[in-house]
Amino acid sequence: MHAFDVLGDPVRRRILELLAADGEHTSGEIVAIVGREFGITQSAVSQHLKVLRESGLTSVRVEGTRRVYAVDARPLAEVDAWLDRFRTFWEPRLDALATEIARGKRKRSR
């Protein structure tokens, strides 16, 4: 499955966000968090983990009876390369936003 197909699903994106922000998680932790947020079953979360694993976006290692997941960013390089063509459209706007935020902070501190 292509990285964009994998990333098209909000549950899989959330799992990747969770792993990227907080580091490794066991499958049980992921099931608890994502299952609660999306109202889906353990089986459904496991299917999403399988897709992420098979696409290479996550790695998994076995620790006793637990499976520990982590992000594998290498496949995301393809997404990053594709997005690179579009950065010229949003980077100036983000820079302008940062400038306006800084101005607002200066005005509030006066």
Side-chain angles (χ1 to χ4, degrees):
M1 188 177 284
H2 193 276
F4 283 107
D5 296 323
V6 174
L7 296 172
D9 186 277
V11 174
R12 292 192 288 265
R13 284 195 312 270
R14 177 62 180 122
I15 293 169
L16 287 174
E17 289 169 359
L18 180 66
L19 295 172
D22 301 333
E24 296 181 332
H25 282 283
T26 65
S27 56
E29 293 168 334
I30 296 168
V31 166
I33 294 167
V34 174
R36 181 179 62 248
E37 289 178 3
F38 287 89
I40 59 177
T41 64
Q42 179 273 331
S43 177
V45 176
S46 292
Q47 284 299 106
H48 287 292
L49 287 169
K50 179 181 177 185
V51 170
L52 289 168
R53 205 172 49 246
E54 290 177 351
S55 69
L57 289 168
T58 61
S59 62
V60 64
R61 72 174 197 282
V62 177
E63 282 186 356
T65 59
R66 304 178 330 157
R67 291 184 176 267
V68 180
Y69 283 83
V71 171
D72 186 343
R74 289 176 291 181
L76 293 173
E78 177 184 349
V79 174
D80 185 53
W82 186 82
L83 288 171
D84 196 46
R85 294 179 272 188
F86 300 96
R87 283 190 175 90
T88 58
F89 295 111
W90 68 70
E91 283 181 346
R93 290 177 176 88
L94 291 174
D95 291 342
L97 176 61
T99 300
E100 291 303 315
I101 290 170
R103 282 183 187 150
K105 286 180 181 178
R106 281 194 303 272
K107 284 181 183 178
R108 281 192 301 259
S109 66
R110 291 181 188 166

